[in-house]
Amino acid sequence: MGHRIGRGSGRRPGRPVLPSVRGAVPRAAELFGRVLGGAPDAVFSAPGRVNLIGEHTDYNQGLVLPFAIDARAQVAVRARDDGRLRVVSGQQPGETVEVNLDGLEPGAVTGWAGYVAGAAWALAERGHRAAGADLALDSTVPVGAGLSSSAAVECSTALALATLAGDRLAPEELARVAQLDENRFVGVPCGLMDQMASSASRAGTVLFFDVGADRTEHIPFDPATAGLVTLLVDTRAHHSLADGQYARRRATCEAAAETLGVDSLSRIAPGELDAALAGLGDDETRRRVRHVVTENERVRAVVELLRTGAVRDIGPAMVASHASLRDDFEVSCAELDVAVDAALAAGAAGARMTGGGFGGSVIALVDRDRVDEVGAAVTGAFARAGFTAPVLRLVSPADGAGADG
Ligand code: ADP
Ligand code: MG
């Protein structure tokens, strides 16, 4: 039995005893003193995120609805006057990476330190200042669980370096710097959702981000008042086909938009979908397009429900989103499907894969007093299927990037 669901006799009924990610605290300042010596000038942090709904829509200029979670990457920073970066990470023990910022170009720093050095490069590239610094990074965002540990590193580092240089970046600009870091310096062709969520989120809300309109809005999201919790199931599956398939989905969407004569698939209104599908030659492309158009519509519907406080009622849209990602966009996998099916069978109000797919996490909306049953059902289903035991966490919407202490 991998993950134990608490059923202790002293437990108050209805109180979930699953670990919350809030339990873990990053300790960048301590790491800084221990490895780099002395004290940092300042400490900053940025969170990981989950996406409530709106998947594979960001790079189609569509709608997404992520929120920051209470797991964060923290960066302790001290200025240097020699134009160099010296970087350590609590998750990469024993390694200190030194980089000269002068003439820094993509490709010069690979591996994990590329995310950090790339933040300095991307700041300069977008016309901001970035000076040399000592940086100690410590993060409680698990890597590769679909919670965007990369955006947390990028946003916290870019914020630290910009602030040290005397720049104040708006959250939207910080997100764009972080995305440029990941796209061009690290070389991952991600959309803007992860960085925007890590940078601009506010506690107690989900971030309604209309990528095409470049507009964000904070929508109250309060499952607790409705007697619900958001349960994350990290399937611990990280399928190697994820990167290549992501690029293929993007290319298919862009080619379909061109065939249909629109800037992006998100320009297609739901009422125009049938006509658009009729204009496409093959069934696979039709299904990809149908996912994007219907997913945008589901985001809109969920936002309207949340505006009225009807949190429980978003469940069916989550379920429909998962089905669309599984059948039309084909980015799910056996682990994600088993987690969603088991959660729903055990009474979850809604459940779907979250993040790019082919592994990573499922987000489920669950009655507070049923969370143990749902967790046990998922863990049991994984055991029966012969999968690695999942990791279960409760998450709630947290603040985006900022100064710590
Ligand atoms: P995720 O879905 O978690 O964002 P990615 O593959 O996009 O997965 O990013 C994970 C990568 O980000 C790691 O392999 C590592 O290079 C970098 N990274 C994330 N967290 C840390 C950390 N605490 N210290 C060093 N590098 C990190
Ligand atoms: Mg990432």
Short mmCIF file of all heavy atoms in Angstrom, two decimals, residues 152-179:
data_model
loop_
_atom_site.label_atom_id
_atom_site.label_comp_id
_atom_site.label_asym_id
_atom_site.label_seq_id
_atom_site.Cartn_x
_atom_site.Cartn_y
_atom_site.Cartn_z
N ALA A 152 7.73 28.02 -11.67
CA ALA A 152 8.00 28.52 -10.33
C ALA A 152 9.46 28.99 -10.22
O ALA A 152 9.74 30.06 -9.66
CB ALA A 152 7.70 27.45 -9.28
N VAL A 153 10.37 28.22 -10.80
CA VAL A 153 11.79 28.60 -10.79
C VAL A 153 12.00 29.86 -11.63
O VAL A 153 12.66 30.82 -11.20
CB VAL A 153 12.67 27.45 -11.32
CG1 VAL A 153 14.10 27.92 -11.58
CG2 VAL A 153 12.66 26.28 -10.35
N GLU A 154 11.43 29.87 -12.83
CA GLU A 154 11.63 31.02 -13.73
C GLU A 154 11.08 32.31 -13.11
O GLU A 154 11.76 33.35 -13.12
CB GLU A 154 10.91 30.77 -15.06
CG GLU A 154 11.48 29.64 -15.89
CD GLU A 154 10.42 28.92 -16.72
OE1 GLU A 154 9.28 29.44 -16.86
OE2 GLU A 154 10.73 27.82 -17.22
N CYS A 155 9.87 32.24 -12.60
CA CYS A 155 9.23 33.47 -12.09
C CYS A 155 9.92 33.97 -10.82
O CYS A 155 10.13 35.18 -10.66
CB CYS A 155 7.74 33.23 -11.81
SG CYS A 155 6.77 33.06 -13.32
N SER A 156 10.28 33.06 -9.91
CA SER A 156 10.93 33.51 -8.68
C SER A 156 12.30 34.11 -8.99
O SER A 156 12.68 35.14 -8.44
CB SER A 156 11.05 32.36 -7.67
OG SER A 156 11.73 31.27 -8.23
N THR A 157 13.04 33.47 -9.91
CA THR A 157 14.37 33.96 -10.25
C THR A 157 14.31 35.30 -10.97
O THR A 157 15.06 36.23 -10.66
CB THR A 157 15.11 32.94 -11.14
OG1 THR A 157 15.08 31.67 -10.51
CG2 THR A 157 16.54 33.34 -11.36
N ALA A 158 13.42 35.40 -11.96
CA ALA A 158 13.31 36.65 -12.72
C ALA A 158 12.88 37.79 -11.79
O ALA A 158 13.40 38.92 -11.88
CB ALA A 158 12.31 36.50 -13.87
N LEU A 159 11.96 37.50 -10.88
CA LEU A 159 11.52 38.53 -9.93
C LEU A 159 12.69 38.96 -9.04
O LEU A 159 12.90 40.16 -8.80
CB LEU A 159 10.36 38.01 -9.09
CG LEU A 159 9.85 38.97 -8.00
CD1 LEU A 159 9.26 40.24 -8.63
CD2 LEU A 159 8.80 38.28 -7.13
N ALA A 160 13.46 37.98 -8.57
CA ALA A 160 14.59 38.29 -7.69
C ALA A 160 15.62 39.15 -8.41
O ALA A 160 16.07 40.18 -7.88
CB ALA A 160 15.24 36.99 -7.20
N LEU A 161 15.98 38.77 -9.63
CA LEU A 161 17.02 39.50 -10.36
C LEU A 161 16.55 40.90 -10.76
O LEU A 161 17.30 41.87 -10.68
CB LEU A 161 17.44 38.71 -11.61
CG LEU A 161 18.20 37.40 -11.31
CD1 LEU A 161 18.45 36.62 -12.60
CD2 LEU A 161 19.53 37.69 -10.61
N ALA A 162 15.28 41.00 -11.17
CA ALA A 162 14.76 42.31 -11.57
C ALA A 162 14.69 43.25 -10.37
O ALA A 162 15.10 44.42 -10.45
CB ALA A 162 13.36 42.15 -12.19
N THR A 163 14.21 42.74 -9.25
CA THR A 163 14.08 43.59 -8.06
C THR A 163 15.45 44.04 -7.58
O THR A 163 15.64 45.20 -7.20
CB THR A 163 13.33 42.83 -6.95
OG1 THR A 163 12.12 42.30 -7.49
CG2 THR A 163 12.98 43.77 -5.79
N LEU A 164 16.40 43.13 -7.62
CA LEU A 164 17.76 43.46 -7.20
C LEU A 164 18.34 44.59 -8.06
O LEU A 164 19.09 45.44 -7.58
CB LEU A 164 18.64 42.20 -7.35
CG LEU A 164 19.85 42.06 -6.47
CD1 LEU A 164 19.43 42.00 -5.00
CD2 LEU A 164 20.61 40.77 -6.83
N ALA A 165 17.96 44.60 -9.34
CA ALA A 165 18.45 45.62 -10.26
C ALA A 165 17.62 46.90 -10.20
O ALA A 165 17.86 47.84 -10.96
CB ALA A 165 18.45 45.07 -11.69
N GLY A 166 16.63 46.93 -9.31
CA GLY A 166 15.82 48.14 -9.12
C GLY A 166 14.65 48.26 -10.06
O GLY A 166 14.04 49.32 -10.17
N ASP A 167 14.28 47.15 -10.75
CA ASP A 167 13.12 47.16 -11.66
C ASP A 167 11.90 46.60 -10.97
O ASP A 167 12.00 45.63 -10.21
CB ASP A 167 13.40 46.28 -12.88
CG ASP A 167 13.96 47.08 -14.05
OD1 ASP A 167 13.98 48.32 -13.96
OD2 ASP A 167 14.39 46.44 -15.03
N ARG A 168 10.74 47.20 -11.24
CA ARG A 168 9.47 46.63 -10.78
C ARG A 168 8.69 46.18 -11.99
O ARG A 168 8.26 47.00 -12.80
CB ARG A 168 8.65 47.68 -10.02
CG ARG A 168 9.09 47.87 -8.60
CD ARG A 168 8.23 48.93 -7.94
NE ARG A 168 6.87 48.44 -7.73
CZ ARG A 168 6.45 47.90 -6.59
NH1 ARG A 168 7.27 47.81 -5.56
NH2 ARG A 168 5.22 47.48 -6.46
N LEU A 169 8.51 44.86 -12.12
CA LEU A 169 7.80 44.33 -13.29
C LEU A 169 6.35 44.05 -12.93
O LEU A 169 6.08 43.49 -11.86
CB LEU A 169 8.46 43.03 -13.74
CG LEU A 169 9.58 43.10 -14.78
CD1 LEU A 169 10.67 44.06 -14.36
CD2 LEU A 169 10.14 41.73 -15.04
N ALA A 170 5.43 44.43 -13.81
CA ALA A 170 4.03 44.02 -13.63
C ALA A 170 3.97 42.50 -13.74
O ALA A 170 4.80 41.89 -14.43
CB ALA A 170 3.16 44.65 -14.71
N PRO A 171 2.98 41.85 -13.08
CA PRO A 171 2.91 40.39 -13.13
C PRO A 171 2.86 39.84 -14.56
O PRO A 171 3.49 38.81 -14.85
CB PRO A 171 1.59 40.08 -12.40
CG PRO A 171 1.38 41.25 -11.50
CD PRO A 171 1.97 42.44 -12.19
N GLU A 172 2.17 40.53 -15.45
CA GLU A 172 2.06 40.06 -16.84
C GLU A 172 3.42 40.09 -17.52
O GLU A 172 3.75 39.21 -18.32
CB GLU A 172 1.06 40.92 -17.63
CG GLU A 172 -0.39 40.75 -17.22
CD GLU A 172 -0.72 41.38 -15.87
OE1 GLU A 172 0.07 42.23 -15.38
OE2 GLU A 172 -1.77 41.02 -15.29
N GLU A 173 4.21 41.13 -17.23
CA GLU A 173 5.53 41.24 -17.83
C GLU A 173 6.48 40.19 -17.24
O GLU A 173 7.27 39.57 -17.97
CB GLU A 173 6.09 42.66 -17.66
CG GLU A 173 7.50 42.87 -18.19
CD GLU A 173 7.66 42.55 -19.67
OE1 GLU A 173 6.67 42.44 -20.40
OE2 GLU A 173 8.84 42.39 -20.10
N LEU A 174 6.36 39.97 -15.95
CA LEU A 174 7.18 38.92 -15.33
C LEU A 174 6.89 37.57 -15.99
O LEU A 174 7.81 36.79 -16.29
CB LEU A 174 6.90 38.85 -13.83
CG LEU A 174 7.67 37.77 -13.06
CD1 LEU A 174 9.17 38.07 -13.06
CD2 LEU A 174 7.15 37.68 -11.61
N ALA A 175 5.62 37.30 -16.26
CA ALA A 175 5.24 36.04 -16.91
C ALA A 175 5.86 35.93 -18.29
O ALA A 175 6.35 34.87 -18.69
CB ALA A 175 3.72 35.94 -17.00
N ARG A 176 5.87 37.03 -19.03
CA ARG A 176 6.43 36.99 -20.39
C ARG A 176 7.95 36.79 -20.37
O ARG A 176 8.50 36.11 -21.22
CB ARG A 176 6.07 38.26 -21.16
CG ARG A 176 4.61 38.26 -21.55
CD ARG A 176 4.20 39.36 -22.48
NE ARG A 176 2.76 39.35 -22.61
CZ ARG A 176 2.07 38.52 -23.40
NH1 ARG A 176 2.73 37.65 -24.14
NH2 ARG A 176 0.77 38.55 -23.43
N VAL A 177 8.60 37.40 -19.39
CA VAL A 177 10.05 37.17 -19.23
C VAL A 177 10.30 35.68 -18.96
O VAL A 177 11.16 35.05 -19.57
CB VAL A 177 10.60 38.04 -18.07
CG1 VAL A 177 12.01 37.58 -17.68
CG2 VAL A 177 10.60 39.52 -18.47
N ALA A 178 9.49 35.12 -18.05
CA ALA A 178 9.67 33.72 -17.66
C ALA A 178 9.39 32.79 -18.86
O ALA A 178 10.10 31.81 -19.08
CB ALA A 178 8.74 33.38 -16.49
N GLN A 179 8.36 33.11 -19.63
CA GLN A 179 8.05 32.28 -20.81
C GLN A 179 9.17 32.35 -21.84
O GLN A 179 9.54 31.34 -22.45
CB GLN A 179 6.73 32.71 -21.45
CG GLN A 179 6.31 31.77 -22.59
CD GLN A 179 5.31 32.39 -23.54
OE1 GLN A 179 5.19 33.62 -23.62
NE2 GLN A 179 4.58 31.55 -24.26
#
